[in-house]
Amino acid sequence: MSIIDEDLNKFSLKLDFYSLIVSPQKKETFITMSLNTAHFHTNAFPRTYSILEKTIPGIFRSKCFNDEDLPFSQEVLNTEIGHLFEHIILEYLCQIKLQKGAKKALYKGFTNWNWKKDKKGTFHIILYMNQAEQEIFAEALDKSIKVLDYILRFGDKISSDKLN
Ligand SMILES: [Zn+2]
């Protein structure tokens, strides 16, 4: 008899601006993001759009389901950092899957938060993907962290562009 712990692959990451608890399950991966920044929305990081344009322009073609039905290119100007992070990961998942030879790539995600219940700046992100795709996910997560770190570090500074 063997007992399989579904949370066996659960791990946490502590970064400069936020921490992540990642819990890969069979059909979806759960991420809890806890920001320790002073701001939780992209409007405090006005360079978000241009940084994304330089790093992952494909993100602007992603579909976004938001209350006001705005295209992601508009929504991104003032959205929750957790929601932005979800879109960045989804875009990288698609890119990496295609790079690995897939003909099509489609990933869905969802971000919610309840700051009455959780500490302000906490987000719950669900990514719908199979556990078998953990390798793609690990790569996507790594790249996504780099982009988000750059946004949180330099996205509020209007002048000087250090991004290559
Ligand atoms: Zn969205």
Side-chain angles (χ1 to χ4, degrees):
M1 192 186 120
S2 64
I3 296 164
I4 297 164
D5 181 357
E6 281 225 288
D7 268 353
L8 206 61
N9 298 315
K10 190 169 171 172
F11 61 93
S12 54
L13 294 171
K14 217 169 159 35
L15 300 144
D16 286 352
F17 302 107
Y18 54 96
S19 61
L20 299 174
I21 299 169
V22 183
S23 177
Q25 308 283 323
K26 279 197 192 82
K27 298 256 164 91
E28 61 266 304
T29 288
F30 296 95
I31 300 176
T32 301
M33 174 187 223
S34 311
L35 282 173
N36 52 42
T37 46
H39 304 282
F40 310 122
H41 294 79
T42 53
N43 61 348
F45 304 91
R47 288 186 60 223
T48 300
Y49 189 99
S50 65
I51 291 169
L52 291 173
E53 212 174 24
K54 288 194 184 82
T55 49
I56 35 165
I59 200 168
F60 297 116
R61 289 194 298 271
S62 66
K63 281 218 174 70
C64 182
F65 301 91
N66 52 70
D67 291 342
E68 282 161 77
D69 230 5
L70 295 172
F72 184 70
S73 55
Q74 251 178 284
E75 170 74 12
V76 75
L77 302 175
N78 186 14
T79 195
E80 296 74 19
I81 302 292
H83 178 224
L84 168 67
F85 194 51
E86 174 212 322
H87 271 267
I88 295 173
I89 300 174
L90 291 172
E91 178 59 24
Y92 274 127
L93 282 170
C94 287
Q95 272 190 21
I96 295 163
K97 189 166 182 171
L98 294 172
Q99 274 164 19
K100 290 194 187 291
K103 294 231 162 60
K104 275 196 283 183
L106 178 71
Y107 288 97
K108 285 181 197 167
F110 185 70
T111 301
N112 65 64
W113 56 93
N114 180 349
W115 294 342
K116 281 179 194 140
K117 197 170 133 242
D118 298 321
K119 195 174 162 242
K120 218 175 167 202
T122 304
F123 297 98
H124 302 283
I125 302 168
I126 305 173
L127 304 167
Y128 299 96
M129 48 172 276
N130 284 319
Q131 209 164 24
E133 296 180 296
Q134 282 307 307
E135 211 178 300
I136 293 175
F137 173 67
E139 212 178 313
L141 184 64
D142 197 54
K143 290 183 174 205
S144 302
I145 286 171
K146 288 195 179 102
V147 172
L148 188 63
D149 271 9
Y150 195 90
I151 290 171
L152 297 178
R153 204 175 292 274
F154 301 113
D156 60 337
K157 294 174 181 64
I158 302 296
S159 61
S160 87
D161 201 328
K162 295 190 185 79
L163 196 68
N164 295 313

